[in-house]
Amino acid sequence: MVTVKDRIKSVAPKGAKEQVRELLVRYGERTSDQRPLPDFLVIGTKRGGTTSLWRYLIQHPLVPRLFPAWNTKTSHYFEENWPRGEAWYRSHFPTVKQRAALERKHGAPPKVGEAAPLYMFHPLVAGRVAQLMPRARMVVLLRDPVERAYSHWKERRTEGVEPLDFAAALAAEESRTAGEREKLLADPNYFSEAYDWYSYRARGRYLEHLTPWLDHFDREQLLFVASETLYREPAATYARILDFIGLPPYDLGAYDVFNDRPSKGMDDEVRAELTAHYRPHNAALAERLGMTFDWS
């Protein structure tokens, strides 16, 4: 019997890395019927600590990484890769046999998931998740939307896709993203980089984007956590998230912040305008969720 390892060893040196990747992807798809769907998703928010939380989660012995191993925290299935289909999505997760081995080793069932900040913001994702994984649990990190917007802009500047300063980018947001949401709703196979890249202000109006999730899922399937609480009390917050997912306690010892871009240097007038813009949205969010947020 020719194993996956045998196939990898037979790959020619030229382009070997790409060929190995392709072999592993194909192997994952061929075994997709043996790979259960995930138990949980971290759905947002962008620039709200999802990378840090994901790094914490995969340090737990009962949270396996995505397959193949070079995948970081998400498949991007429910937004960018929806046309690839369910078998492709399942290919990213461990097999029943691998899950059973983890349970035998650690004495409790593993919990499998992924973290994708665009899931919360994309208008079709909540319905797609509800249809495919109606019992899944969702972790939602929510950061002060003023700080989130500025951090989002700095990330795009660093990546070289944002030529405008922050004030100009905010002013251009409406024209840059005009019609993109409507295209996403009209064409299930459409993906919009502009809707992801330049939605600095819109992504902080959290209740607009959470309403579909609240409509599709029971409240106990959604855990809302202020990003500031995760940063300030990482051990306690991590313990709470593990309990919500259904995992036994696990002490990491250290809780480093990953992918951090401190939001210093924002223009005072821009900050004041954004703070005023978000004030009614934050109030509506707090009322709907029954929470308080330590935001501007």
Side-chain angles (χ1 to χ4, degrees):
M1 178 180 177
V2 179
T3 67
V4 174
K5 288 184 179 180
D6 293 332
R7 290 178 180 273
I8 290 174
K9 288 178 181 178
S10 68
V11 172
K14 185 177 181 181
K17 185 176 181 180
E18 291 74 16
Q19 293 185 52
V20 168
R21 285 179 176 241
E22 181 62 25
L23 283 172
L24 289 172
V25 169
R26 290 180 180 177
Y27 171 74
E29 290 183 286
R30 285 198 301 271
T31 56
S32 63
D33 61 336
Q34 304 166 39
R35 299 175 182 272
L37 291 164
D39 306 291
F40 71 92
L41 302 174
V42 180
I43 64 171
T45 183
K46 183 173 182 61
R47 306 304 308 155
T50 58
T51 298
S52 293
L53 175 57
W54 183 251
R55 296 286 186 90
Y56 302 160
L57 287 170
I58 59 175
Q59 290 181 64
H60 194 291
L62 287 167
V63 180
R65 293 173 178 266
L66 272 67
F67 178 85
W70 62 78
N71 280 299
T72 51
K73 61 182 182 179
T74 183
S75 66
H76 292 290
Y77 174 59
F78 289 103
E79 14 91 341
E80 184 173 0
N81 292 310
W82 181 248
R84 292 178 180 267
E86 183 181 335
W88 181 88
Y89 184 50
R90 285 177 177 268
S91 75
H92 291 80
F93 304 106
T95 63
V96 172
K97 184 177 180 180
Q98 290 167 331
R99 282 179 176 244
L102 284 174
E103 184 168 1
R104 286 194 302 271
K105 182 176 181 180
H106 299 289
K111 296 297 179 180
V112 176
E114 62 168 336
L118 188 54
Y119 283 178
M120 185 179 86
F121 185 54
H122 192 291
L124 296 177
V125 169
R128 290 170 174 174
V129 174
Q131 183 178 13
L132 187 61
M133 307 184 312
R135 292 186 295 276
R137 293 193 159 225
M138 268 60 67
V139 179
V140 189
L141 295 175
L142 299 173
R143 183 182 181 183
D144 180 336
V146 176
E147 300 296 338
R148 194 223 67 81
Y150 192 52
S151 183
H152 185 174
W153 169 80
K154 289 201 299 182
E155 180 184 68
R156 294 304 178 220
R157 290 281 280 191
T158 302
E159 292 173 345
V161 299
E162 179 53 86
L164 303 178
D165 65 35
F166 187 43
L170 289 172
E173 179 174 336
E174 186 173 350
S175 61
R176 281 170 153 182
T177 60
E180 292 303 297
R181 189 175 188 277
E182 290 72 20
K183 290 177 183 177
L184 290 169
L185 290 169
D187 182 356
N189 294 332
Y190 181 70
F191 177 74
S192 171
E193 288 184 338
Y195 189 75
D196 180 15
W197 287 359
Y198 303 124
S199 48
Y200 307 117
R201 184 189 299 268
R203 285 175 88 139
R205 296 192 292 264
Y206 296 131
L207 187 55
E208 293 179 15
H209 318 305
L210 288 173
T211 296
W213 294 91
L214 291 163
D215 290 344
H216 279 98
F217 293 94
D218 292 337
R219 183 65 172 79
E220 58 266 24
Q221 290 177 261
L222 297 158
L223 178 65
F224 299 97
V225 178
S227 301
E228 294 77 13
T229 303
L230 175 65
Y231 300 146
R232 185 174 59 247
E233 303 168 5
T237 306
Y238 182 57
R240 181 184 171 205
I241 293 170
L242 293 181
D243 181 67
F244 170 76
I245 293 171
L247 288 165
Y250 190 74
D251 182 16
L252 297 182
Y255 297 83
D256 298 327
V257 176
F258 296 89
N259 202 21
D260 185 33
R261 288 182 173 85
S263 293
K264 297 180 180 179
M266 192 188 314
D267 180 83
D268 289 342
E269 289 186 8
V270 174
R271 180 183 293 278
E273 188 276 325
L274 280 176
T275 299
H277 173 79
Y278 287 124
R279 188 172 292 117
H281 298 283
N282 293 345
L285 174 72
E287 182 178 2
R288 177 72 186 271
L289 300 184
M291 297 175 63
T292 57
F293 297 93
D294 185 20
W295 296 340
S296 302

